[in-house]
Amino acid sequence: MGESKQKSRRRDQILAGELRCIYCMNPPSTVEHMPPKAIFPRKHRLSGMEYASCEPCNHNSRAADTAAAIMARISPTNFIDALELQEARRLLATMTSIAPQFVRELMDPSKVSPVWEKGRDAVFGPKRRIELDGPVSHALLTAFAAKIGMALYREHIGQPLPKAGVVFTQHYLNSGLVRGEAKALVSMMPDSGELKQGRKSSGRLFNYRFNTDERTIVAALVAFNDNFFVRVFATHDERLKSTLGDFHERLPVPVGGLPALASIWNPRRE
Ligand SMILES: [Zn+2]
């Protein structure tokens, strides 16, 4: 069987029986990979975590996926990997064309400060700490976090987050995730997940801790390349929504809320 035939068969299998997109109430027509291929070096992504999605949600959130792929690559390393650098440059070029404001916010010299920090090899060296808090970066990383929250809900509860559902999100860049908070979060999340294929697993590139009642809520802390972290609570339970709302400054992303976020990074849309 040819590769394209295999692909369309796989697509049919994933879409079979799915009445709606995992992100909104529209009927699905495409396969969404969450996390996206762009997160992985050379786009070498193990299979699994593929979901039915509508074309607009899948297509319009490409900028959010690319922003996350860039954040996952900005690591506190003491050596420069040529491939990593090449891929980061390509991702930045993509962002320059689809969400240029993100690149301006990322490159803003007033948000970069020199620090001495440990690298992956545990050796201290000069690093640059980036504060990324502009409106477009915020919208993109929030959209990405909401996507992963809805995907994990589908993964562990077996159906898309219902219409009344929302995702509370938080993202942490470089050393933004304080050790104590991470420890406390991980202790609340007894189960773990990653992509697996045969003996291979996504390991450091993508793994998560989670907790769920298998009915109404999925809570997860997701790590990308040990560098970019996302914390999500996905639920449709009214009581849980109001309790979580009391603890979050940010508004949660509702099911179907991706187009509104997309209009922030691409004002021509909508
Ligand atoms: Zn959709």
Side-chain angles (χ1 to χ4, degrees):
M1 200 187 302
E3 199 184 328
S4 68
K5 254 195 177 162
Q6 259 179 5
K7 245 186 175 171
S8 74
R9 201 168 130 179
R10 178 112 185 96
R11 175 184 167 277
D12 292 347
Q13 279 172 349
I14 290 163
L15 263 55
E18 298 291 331
L19 298 175
R20 48 161 281 218
C21 167
I22 55 162
Y23 305 130
C24 77
M25 301 308 288
N26 289 337
S29 58
T30 64
V31 172
E32 163 79 344
H33 295 74
M34 200 64 211
K37 288 181 191 165
I39 289 277
F40 301 92
R42 295 187 184 87
K43 295 194 181 176
H44 280 179
R45 184 191 189 277
L46 303 179
S47 64
M49 298 188 73
E50 289 148 34
Y51 308 97
S53 150
C54 73
E55 214 277 327
C57 282
N58 197 333
H59 186 80
N60 293 345
S61 58
R62 185 166 160 239
D65 293 354
T66 311
I70 291 170
M71 298 332 296
R73 278 172 175 79
I74 301 178
S75 59
T77 179
N78 286 318
F79 56 89
I80 305 288
D81 179 296
L83 174 76
E84 257 178 59
L85 194 65
Q86 194 188 351
E87 292 199 324
R89 281 193 181 132
R90 207 172 44 228
L91 291 165
L92 278 172
T94 302
M95 284 309 260
T96 303
S97 76
I98 59 178
Q101 184 61 27
F102 172 82
V103 180
R104 283 195 281 274
E105 289 174 8
L106 183 67
M107 300 298 179
D108 182 350
S110 69
K111 300 286 182 182
V112 179
S113 48
V115 288
W116 276 83
E117 281 206 12
K118 261 187 200 169
R120 284 250 170 75
D121 50 7
V123 174
F124 277 89
K127 307 282 181 304
R128 287 187 296 175
R129 185 191 298 275
I130 300 169
E131 265 176 64
L132 192 61
D133 54 4
V136 167
S137 331
H138 181 78
L140 285 164
L141 298 177
T142 299
F144 179 79
K147 286 180 70 182
I148 194 103
M150 290 180 207
L152 290 175
Y153 188 96
R154 171 67 185 79
E155 183 73 16
H156 294 292
I157 301 204
Q159 53 187 315
L161 185 60
K163 197 176 179 182
V166 294
V167 185
F168 290 89
T169 72
Q170 176 75 49
H171 47 261
Y172 309 87
L173 308 175
N174 41 71
S175 44
L177 183 64
V178 275
R179 210 169 279 267
E181 188 178 348
K183 233 177 170 180
L185 279 170
V186 163
S187 72
M188 285 165 17
M189 300 183 188
D191 299 314
S192 63
E194 60 188 340
L195 290 177
K196 282 198 177 118
Q197 198 176 324
R199 275 182 292 175
K200 291 185 192 158
S201 74
S202 54
R204 192 190 73 191
L205 293 171
F206 163 67
N207 66 77
Y208 62 96
R209 297 288 295 247
F210 73 102
N211 198 355
T212 178
D213 64 357
E214 293 172 6
R215 274 184 319 111
T216 55
I217 184 165
V218 171
L221 179 69
V222 190
F224 299 97
N225 203 17
D226 266 349
N227 189 56
F228 172 49
F229 295 85
V230 166
R231 192 206 62 202
V232 289
F233 292 99
T235 185
H236 58 95
D237 182 280
E238 291 305 322
R239 205 170 37 89
L240 286 169
K241 271 159 67 174
S242 90
T243 310
L244 287 165
D246 291 344
F247 288 96
H248 284 77
E249 287 168 33
R250 298 175 180 179
L251 287 175
V253 180
V255 167
L258 291 178
L261 285 166
S263 70
I264 299 173
W265 67 77
N266 183 354
R268 281 164 297 173
R269 207 161 272 149
E270 270 203 335

